Amino acid sequence: GLGTVGVLLLCNFGGARLLRIGGVPVGETLVAERDTAPTLDDGGSCIGIVLTDIPLDARQCERVARRVGLGLARMGSVAHHGSGDIFLAASTQNRRTRSEQGFLDIRLVADMMLDPIFAAAVDATEEAVTLGALTPPREAALARGLSLEISVVLFLVYLLSLLFSLR
């Protein structure tokens, strides 16, 4: 492969009813099965950071960062009015010191090779939200996580969606 793509998210988007896992609208069931925190609206804001070891320039990183919104959309986010989403991407390659002078030779991925990187950013975003929703909080100060039973069912739905997407 070309390298590794990872996504770090801080999510505060949508109401519980909009949640999708593996394309399956599970939010309505969640709302019916448990008490969910009340929301004033379905909006919210997210911060998404894509990091990669693939050699990309600033323009390519900007294009990759935009794909975080597509991964969030897979999970039910629709970027409501008032959403203040911030997405950025960075590559760990082509680092140089400030004291360098003259011309520099750098290695970049050609734009025609970006599609698999875009897909990886979307998939990694979806996976980050899914795993965040299914992972119970480790500290009492965090919002109450899903029950073990609901997490197992949702995780099975997610695994089945992955299995059928490979066909």
Side-chain angles (χ1 to χ4, degrees):
L2 294 172
T4 302
V5 175
V7 175
L8 177 65
L9 294 174
L10 172 64
C11 291
N12 176 25
F13 67 87
R17 290 183 191 284
L18 299 175
L19 180 64
R20 293 177 170 268
I21 294 184
V24 178
V26 297
E28 289 291 335
T29 303
L30 281 178
V31 170
E33 298 279 327
R34 70 184 288 234
D35 293 332
T36 57
T39 58
L40 297 176
D41 58 34
D42 289 332
S45 300
C46 299
I47 299 172
I49 302 170
V50 182
L51 293 174
T52 184
D53 60 358
I54 301 169
L56 302 173
D57 63 16
R59 181 186 56 81
Q60 292 170 325
C61 283
E62 181 180 345
R63 294 181 67 199
V64 170
R66 289 185 186 147
R67 274 40 185 202
V68 171
L70 297 174
L72 294 176
R74 282 186 182 174
M75 302 303 298
S77 173
V78 293
H80 288 90
H81 172 72
S83 283
D85 300 332
I86 300 170
F87 308 138
L88 64 92
S91 171
T92 60
Q93 299 299 308
N94 296 320
R95 295 182 59 151
R96 52 196 178 270
T97 64
R98 292 177 185 257
S99 62
E100 291 184 60
Q101 296 181 9
F103 294 97
L104 301 172
D105 289 322
I106 61 170
R107 185 169 171 250
L108 293 175
V109 168
D111 283 351
M112 296 303 291
M113 295 175 61
L114 289 175
D115 285 345
I117 301 166
F118 294 159
V122 173
D123 290 343
T125 301
E126 179 182 21
E127 185 174 353
V129 174
T130 301
L131 294 177
L134 298 179
T135 304
R138 288 171 174 55
E139 298 179 22
L142 296 175
R144 187 178 70 162
L146 301 176
S147 71
L148 180 61
E149 295 82 11
I150 292 175
S151 293
V152 168
V153 170
L154 293 179
F155 189 66
L156 289 174
V157 167
Y158 178 63
L159 289 178
L160 286 172
S161 72
L162 290 178
L163 177 66
F164 286 109
S165 71
L166 295 176
R167 292 183 170 198

